[in-house]
Amino acid sequence: MVLPLLGGAAAIWSVAMVFFQSALLLGYAYAHLLSRTLSPGPSAFVHLGLLAMAAATLPIGIAQGFEAAPQQGLELWLLTLFAASIGLPFVALTATAPLLQNWFAASGHPRAANPYLLYAASNLGSFVGLLTYPFVVEPLFTLRTQILMWSLGYLILTTLIVAAAVIVVGDRKRAIDRANADTAIAPTIAERMTWTVLAAIPAGLVVAVTAAISVDLAAAPLLWVLPLSLYLLTFVAIFRERAWVAHGRVLKLVPFAAVALVAIASTVVRPYFGILLATHLAGFLVIALACHGELYRRRPQPARLTEFYLWTSFGGMIGGLFAGLISPHIFNGIAEYPMLVLAALLAMPATLDGGPGRFLRQSGLGLALAASTLCIMWLRVRMPASATLPIDIALIVLAGVMVLARRQPARFFGLAALAFVIAKLDPLFAPIEQVRSFFGVHRVVEDRSGQFRLLMHGTIAHGAERVRNADGTPVSGRPEPTTYYYVGGPISDAIAAARKAQGRLAHVAAVGLGTGSLACHRQDGEDWTFFELDPQVVRIATDPALFHFLGECGPNIRIVLGDARLTLTASAEQYDLIVLDAFTSDAIPLHLLTREAFAGYLLHLTTHGVIVLHISNRHMALRGPAAAVGQAEGLVAFGKLQLPPAVTENDARAASDVVVFARDVKDLGDLPTQGWARLNPGSRVAWSDDYANILGAVLDAKLGR
C-alpha cells in the first residue's frame, strides 16, 4: 500500500523494519508489565480488551492525511504513517507472543519448562507468512482481497487467544506464583547489555544487507524479503531444545562468512549476480545464527522470560535505528554493513579475552593499515585502472591470511577491518562525488579512460557525459546524449517520430531526470518539464561542475520535485509527449506502470500525444505487463530492444528496451516500420494499484519470454 507513495525505494522497507522493531519493543514492554503485575488469568482479560480495541480499527489501510508524501522528513512521515495505519493491531499482536509463552509456562504442561519453543513456532509462522506473500498471496489475490483475508485472520487468531485465555483462567491451581517469579535470580546489567547487543547486530544487519543488495545488485522488492526471511528462520533454528546446527559449529563458520564477504568484492566475482546474492545471504545467515545462538545460550529462566524479550526487542530497535535511520544520514555509502559484521566478530566468544590491551596488540597493525586506507579514500586519490589487479591480489592474500588467523579472534578482527576497507577501493571508476539520500546511494564517477563522467545509482549508470576526447582534450559545446539516450537509439527515434507525426512538440513531460541527458533531444520552441523524485539527483544534474546537459541544452527547463504520479497528475498542462524514464537502481517503480497511473497520464496527454516507456531491466520482463496496461487503456503499443551498433571502448552507448503508446497507430508516424514490433499482452493481466504479478515478470525474464 505504501510503496506507490514513494517510488518503490528500498528505504521504505528499511523504515518499515525500524517501525516494526519499535512497535515490537512497545508490545514486549506491555507484555512484561502485564506479566509482572498480574497473574495469567487477569492478564488474559486485559489483553483481550486490547485485542478488541485493535479489532475496531480494522480493516487496515493508509490512514487519512497520508495520501501524499512530503519532500522533506520522509522517515518521520513514514513512521507516523505506519503508527497511524497499523500501529495498534501490530502492538497487540506482538504482545501476544510473549504473553502466550508466559501463560504456557504457568500451565504445568510437561514441556512448560522451556516455553522458548513457542518463540521458535512464532517465528516459523512469520517465516512462512513472509515467503507465502510474494509467491502465493500477491500473484493470486488483489490488494482488496488481501486486506479482507488479513482481517479475517486477525479475528480467527483472537478467537484462539480467547480459548487459550479460558484455559488459563480455569486452571488456577497451576498458575504461577508471582512471589516465586519475583525471587528468581535477576539478570545483571552486563547480562542485559549483552542481550541487547546480540539482538541489535542481526537486526541491524537485516536492514544493512537489504540496502546493500538494493545498491549493488537490484532494487527489487522480491529480493528484500530474503534477508528478513533468513532472520526469522534463525530464531526457528536456535530457540529449541536441540538447535538445527550446533552452536559451536556455527561459531567456527563465522570467520569463513567474513572471508566470503571480503572475497566477493573482487572484480573477478562482481559480474556474477547469483554468487553475490548467495554470499550476502549466506554470510548474514551464519552471523545471525551465531548471535542468536549466543542469545539463546544466555537466556534466563522462564520466570524472567518477558524481561528477556523486552531487552532483545530493545536491541532489535537499536540495530534497526542505526542501520535504517541513522546510517543514511551520516554515511554516504552502505558503511553500516561492514561495521555490523565487525561488531559481530567483536561479540563472538574469546575475541576480547585478555582485555583491551591484548586485543589492541594483536589487531593493531590491521587497524592502522585500515585507517591509512580510509584516509586515501577520504582524500579521493585517483587510482589508475591498472590498480584493479593489485587490489584483487591484496583481497585474495588477505582472505587467505584471515583463514589462517581464524583461531586468533583479535588478529582476525584487525585483518577483517583492513580487508573491508580495501574492498571499497574501486579503480574502475574515479570518484568525484558520492551522496546518499532516502532513495539510495548516488555516485558521480569517471570511467577508467577518463572520457566519460557517469551518474551511478547502485550498479546502474543513470546517464553519462563525454568530458574528454580520446586524445585527452576537454569536450566543449553542446554535449551529446549517450547511454540509453544516444541519437539513433529507440528513445531518440521515438521522440523524433512523435515530433514528425505531430509537426511540433509544444509541451513535453519527462519523468526521471538522471543527468538530464534527455534535455539534449529538445528543440528550440519546445517547452520541456522534468519530474524528479530525489532532490539529490536534481542538485547533481543542475551542478555545472558535474554535468552540462541541462545547462547547455535546456537552461530554462522546469524541474518539478516530487513523485511524478502525483505531480504530473496535478499539472495544468497537456503534453504532446510523455517520457517515462524513472528508475531506482535497475528497477522501475511499479506504481508508474499501473492502469491508474496510465489513466492519469492520459488525462494530460493531447489527442495525438505519445507515451514513451523505458523498460530496460536485468531481472523483470515488462513488455507483457506494459502491453496489457496499454490494451486496457485503449492504446496501441509497440516495442523495440536495440543494441547500439559498432560500440567501441571509447563509446558509452547502451542497449535499451523501449515501448511506445498512442491512441492511434497513425500518431506514431513511420516508427512501426523502423523495426518496432506491435506488442500483444497474451495472457498477461494489466497491473493495477490493486494487483501486480511481479513474480510473473521475474519468471518471464528468466525464461526469456
Side-chain angles (χ1 to χ4, degrees), residues 182-495:
D182 293 336
T183 58
I185 300 174
T188 64
I189 294 177
E191 287 175 322
R192 291 166 176 155
M193 293 304 296
T194 301
W195 296 340
T196 302
V197 170
L198 289 171
I201 292 170
L205 266 177
V206 72
V207 177
V209 171
T210 304
I213 289 174
S214 298
V215 169
D216 295 333
L217 302 182
L222 206 61
L223 294 180
W224 304 344
V225 173
L226 298 178
L228 181 56
S229 300
L230 294 178
Y231 175 77
L232 296 170
L233 194 61
T234 59
F235 288 111
V236 182
I238 295 299
F239 277 66
R240 55 200 313 116
E241 291 177 353
R242 186 174 181 180
W244 289 356
V245 184
H247 184 52
R249 185 169 299 173
V250 173
L251 293 179
K252 292 179 180 178
L253 290 175
V254 170
F256 291 100
V259 170
L261 292 174
V262 168
I264 60 173
S266 167
T267 56
V268 177
V269 182
R270 284 183 200 174
Y272 300 100
F273 174 87
I275 294 175
L276 294 175
L277 179 62
T279 305
H280 280 300
L281 296 178
F284 167 68
L285 176 62
V286 169
I287 292 172
L289 282 172
C291 290
H292 290 153
E294 277 295 297
L295 197 60
Y296 185 68
R297 187 173 69 84
R298 298 167 184 267
R299 71 193 184 281
Q301 52 193 298
R304 293 284 177 176
L305 175 145
T306 56
E307 182 179 5
F308 173 71
Y309 288 138
L310 178 63
W311 284 103
T312 56
S313 63
F314 177 66
M317 185 188 73
I318 294 297
L321 284 173
F322 170 70
L325 294 186
I326 298 174
S327 294
H329 289 281
I330 61 176
F331 302 127
N332 62 7
I334 314 298
E336 63 271 19
Y337 188 3
M339 291 175 65
L340 285 164
V341 173
L342 292 174
L345 295 178
L346 275 179
M348 293 299 100
T351 302
L352 295 175
D353 285 359
R358 182 175 181 271
F359 172 80
L360 289 175
R361 283 193 301 274
Q362 293 190 350
S363 64
L365 179 60
L367 294 177
L369 291 173
S372 301
T373 309
L374 280 174
C375 290
I376 293 174
M377 295 172 63
W378 182 73
L379 293 171
R380 293 181 183 167
V381 176
R382 179 165 186 160
M383 294 177 292
S386 58
T388 302
L389 181 59
I391 289 175
D392 283 342
I393 292 173
L395 287 173
I396 293 171
V397 171
L398 270 173
V401 175
M402 288 169 66
V403 170
L404 295 175
R406 67 186 184 277
R407 292 186 178 88
Q408 300 171 285
R411 184 166 285 110
F412 184 90
F413 177 85
L415 293 170
L418 174 60
F420 281 128
V421 172
I422 292 178
K424 291 298 180 182
L425 296 174
D426 191 356
L428 295 178
F429 296 108
I432 296 175
E433 182 172 335
Q434 180 165 310
V435 64
R436 187 175 182 180
S437 73
F438 181 84
F439 303 98
V441 177
H442 305 287
R443 293 187 299 149
V444 180
V445 299
E446 288 186 1
D447 71 341
R448 65 170 69 193
S449 72
Q451 295 183 55
F452 293 96
R453 182 169 296 164
L454 302 91
L455 172 61
M456 305 290 295
H457 187 203
T459 58
I460 304 299
H462 284 198
E465 179 182 344
R466 183 186 289 275
V467 293
R468 295 179 189 86
N469 297 306
D471 60 4
T473 58
V475 173
S476 59
R478 185 184 178 95
E480 179 183 353
T482 57
T483 62
Y484 313 108
Y485 315 103
Y486 66 94
V487 175
I491 294 177
S492 169
D493 288 349
I495 295 173

Side-chain angles (χ1 to χ4, degrees), residues 485-505 508 518 520-523 526 528 576-577 579 610 612 658 660 666-672 674 676:
Y485 315 103
Y486 66 94
V487 175
I491 294 177
S492 169
D493 288 349
I495 295 173
R499 182 181 290 120
K500 182 178 179 181
Q502 299 181 56
R504 63 188 293 267
L505 296 175
V508 176
L518 276 175
C520 289
H521 288 286
R522 169 184 171 273
Q523 292 186 356
E526 296 178 353
W528 284 50
D576 301 310
L577 174 68
V579 182
V610 173
V612 178
V658 179
V660 293
K666 296 178 182 178
D667 297 328
L668 298 175
D670 59 356
L671 193 68
Q674 300 175 15
W676 293 71

